[in-house]
Amino acid sequence: MATDENGKAGANEAGANEAGTGEAGHKEDGAPKADGGDKADGSGGGGADEGDAGDSKPSPLSKPWVRIALAVAAVAALILLVWWIVNYRNYGRYQQSTNDAYLAADQINVAPRVAGYVEQVLVGDNQMVRAGQLLARIDQRTENSTAARSRAQIAQARATVAQARATRTQQFDMIRQARAQADQSRAMLRQNEAADRFNASQVARYAPLSAVGAETDEKLAQNRSMLDQSHAQVASARAQLAASDAQVASARHQIAIDDAQIQSGLAQVAASQAQLAANQVDVDAAAVTSPIGGRVGDRTVRVGQYVQVGTRMMTVVPVDRLYLVANFKETQIGLMRVGQSATVEVDALAGEEIHGVVESFSPGTGSRFAQVPIDNATGNFTKIVQRVAVRIRLDAGPEARRVLVPGLSVSVSVDTRGARRDKVATKDEGDRLEDGRKRQDRHELDADRRQRKPGAGR
């Protein structure tokens, strides 16, 4: 057995030598053999020994200072983690931030109240103006002529009133004169009636006497003539009295007419005065003034331009009364209240923070005030987080306000820590309502059981 194994081993070694010799022969045929190949092999063996020596170097963790540094770093990381958790629970989770915010102002579009050609433009682009300052002037000759015509109408109406009052006074004089004549006519009528009665009695007395011849016929004829005269005088006195009464009635009627003319004239005076006041308003409106103080922007009016009523001439922006409109998500306003402080970062003032205060909340989300409100009752529904506009007052200094203008983009963060108690109160309120509903349900169940339970003898 040993002899066979030795023989096989020798045969294998001989084959290996022959194979090596053959490979060497091929190499020699293809390229000249490099001198010093044995040396190269020797040097290669030396490199392997050095690699083994390198693998046997000690680990860095075996050094004390490395372990100390790692321990310090782990402790520092743990401290930072604990600090972050505490800060988040006490501060960070109550900070609601958004960059969907912009500066705004209650700007006023300046427009004329009368139509006409622009005579003067007294302000320039981006100029600061004060409230009541004259901005432009419109040609007011038409308004002046209309006002002059109204003044003439007032004078004419006043003259009519004065004439009616004079006529009324004259009619009162006529009434007094007619009453005096009427009194005189009544006295004459009474006198004539008395004479008429006397003459009638004389005729009645002398007629029988004349018939028997006791008195002459001439005496009777004379009495009858006097009776006819007294009849005529009584009729004339009555006619004069009637004429005087008619004159009084006519004068009173004329007085009523004069009173009506006076009232009509006074009404014309009042109407003309109202028209004059309206014309004066138009005259004053030809001078276009600034309703508020601020900075002029978007000035489109030019001298000689014809403007209609309501045409926008320029815009006055109150840059000293800016505020912030931030559109927070509906999931962010749960603890947001009026009066909470806010931190504002304006892109135009990089690195600077401005303090603000929450002033008010919009009464609805932005979609409620859109031109075409959303109707989720039709079609497919996809829930989208809505946003609510929050108005924030800015407490910026004079230097910052030199840069701040409406429309600038900002980032805002609101501190809602002040409403933590409200959150607890809301939760307690919900728990109380839930307990109340449960008690109500139990009460209803008990009542239902009592109604269904059979009584004695059933």
Side-chain angles (χ1 to χ4, degrees):
M1 295 288 293
T3 305
D4 295 338
E5 293 176 357
N6 293 331
K8 291 179 181 180
N12 292 335
E13 291 177 1
N17 292 332
E18 291 178 358
T21 304
E23 292 176 358
H26 288 298
K27 290 180 181 179
E28 289 176 358
D29 294 339
K33 185 176 181 181
D35 297 335
D38 296 336
K39 295 179 180 180
D41 295 337
S43 59
D49 295 337
E50 291 177 2
D52 294 337
D55 292 341
S56 62
K57 289 182 178 180
S59 173
L61 296 176
S62 62
K63 298 179 180 180
W65 66 271
V66 173
R67 292 195 298 271
I68 294 173
L70 292 176
V72 172
V75 172
L78 181 60
I79 292 174
L80 288 176
L81 178 60
V82 172
W83 176 86
W84 184 87
I85 293 174
V86 173
N87 182 72
Y88 174 76
R89 289 182 60 85
N90 296 329
Y91 178 79
R93 63 175 176 172
Y94 296 106
Q95 305 302 310
Q96 301 297 337
S97 304
T98 184
N99 58 2
D100 185 3
Y102 54 91
L103 295 181
D106 297 330
Q107 61 190 27
I108 300 297
N109 293 328
V110 179
R113 292 180 292 175
V114 293
Y117 289 95
V118 179
E119 284 186 342
Q120 292 178 313
V121 179
L122 305 175
V123 293
D125 294 332
N126 308 324
Q127 179 180 338
M128 292 296 297
V129 296
R130 65 181 183 277
Q133 181 175 343
L134 186 62
L135 304 178
R137 193 185 299 277
I138 300 174
D139 185 8
Q140 55 186 2
R141 286 177 294 179
T142 302
E143 287 75 15
N144 288 333
S145 63
T146 306
R149 183 168 61 251
S150 298
R151 293 189 183 94
Q153 292 175 354
I154 291 174
Q156 182 180 1
R158 286 176 175 172
T160 303
V161 171
Q163 183 180 0
R165 286 175 175 171
T167 304
R168 185 172 182 269
T169 303
Q170 184 180 0
Q171 294 300 325
F172 275 114
D173 294 337
M174 292 178 64
I175 288 174
R176 285 191 293 271
Q177 183 178 359
R179 285 178 176 175
Q181 292 178 357
D183 294 338
Q184 184 178 1
S185 297
R186 288 189 185 92
M188 290 297 295
L189 177 61
R190 286 192 296 270
Q191 182 179 358
N192 291 329
E193 286 177 348
D196 184 69
R197 286 191 299 271
F198 175 76
N199 291 328
S201 64
Q202 288 295 100
V203 170
R205 185 167 64 90
Y206 280 98
L209 294 176
S210 176
V212 296
E215 286 290 342
T216 62
D217 293 337
E218 290 80 3
K219 185 66 174 179
L220 178 60
Q222 183 180 2
N223 290 330
R224 286 178 177 174
S225 176
M226 293 178 63
L227 179 61
D228 292 337
Q229 290 178 1
S230 63
H231 282 329
Q233 291 175 355
V234 168
S236 176
R238 288 176 177 175
Q240 290 179 0
L241 179 60
S244 299
D245 291 339
Q247 188 176 3
V248 171
S250 176
R252 288 177 176 174
H253 180 68
Q254 186 62 39
I255 288 175
I257 294 175
D258 293 338
D259 289 339
Q261 290 180 352
I262 290 172
Q263 296 299 325
S264 177
L266 292 176
Q268 291 180 0
V269 170
S272 299
Q273 288 177 344
Q275 185 64 35
L276 177 61
N279 295 334
Q280 191 62 41
V281 170
D282 292 340
V283 171
D284 296 338
V288 182
T289 59
S290 177
I292 60 174
R295 187 184 302 172
V296 175
D298 194 19
R299 184 178 64 89
T300 59
V301 64
R302 298 293 183 271
V303 175
Q305 177 183 354
Y306 185 82
V307 293
Q308 294 284 356
V309 177
T311 303
R312 183 173 58 82
M313 304 171 65
M314 63 188 72
T315 302
V316 178
V317 182
V319 293
D320 57 339
R321 295 190 296 272
L322 297 177
Y323 58 89
L324 173 65
V325 177
N327 299 310
F328 284 95
K329 296 180 181 179
E330 56 185 325
T331 56
Q332 294 180 293
I333 63 172
L335 296 179
M336 204 170 293
R337 301 290 185 271
V338 174
Q340 291 177 344
S341 62
T343 302
V344 180
E345 295 181 359
V346 186
D347 294 348
L349 300 174
E352 295 187 16
E353 293 183 352
I354 299 176
H355 181 265
V357 178
V358 176
E359 279 191 337
S360 61
F361 295 84
S362 172
T365 61
S367 61
R368 290 295 91 192
F369 302 108
Q371 294 293 332
V372 182
I374 298 175
D375 187 3
N376 294 325
T378 60
N380 296 328
F381 171 70
T382 301
K383 183 177 181 180
I384 300 175
V385 177
Q386 302 296 316
R387 290 182 178 267
V388 179
V390 179
R391 177 165 174 162
I392 299 175
R393 184 184 73 247
L394 295 179
D395 297 334
E399 293 298 328
R401 291 188 180 277
R402 293 182 180 180
V403 181
L404 300 180
V405 294
L408 292 181
S409 299
V410 300
S411 298
V412 59
S413 176
V414 178
D415 188 359
T416 63
R417 288 179 294 175
R420 286 178 291 185
R421 295 183 179 179
D422 295 345
K423 183 177 181 180
V424 177
T426 303
K427 185 178 182 303
D428 294 342
E429 182 180 2
D431 294 339
R432 288 194 300 271
L433 292 176
E434 183 65 23
D435 294 340
R437 285 194 295 268
K438 289 180 179 179
R439 287 193 299 270
Q440 182 67 23
D441 292 341
R442 287 195 299 269
H443 178 72
E444 292 177 356
L445 289 175
D446 294 340
D448 186 61
R449 290 194 189 98
R450 286 193 297 269
Q451 290 177 1
R452 294 184 180 182
K453 184 178 180 181
R458 295 186 180 179

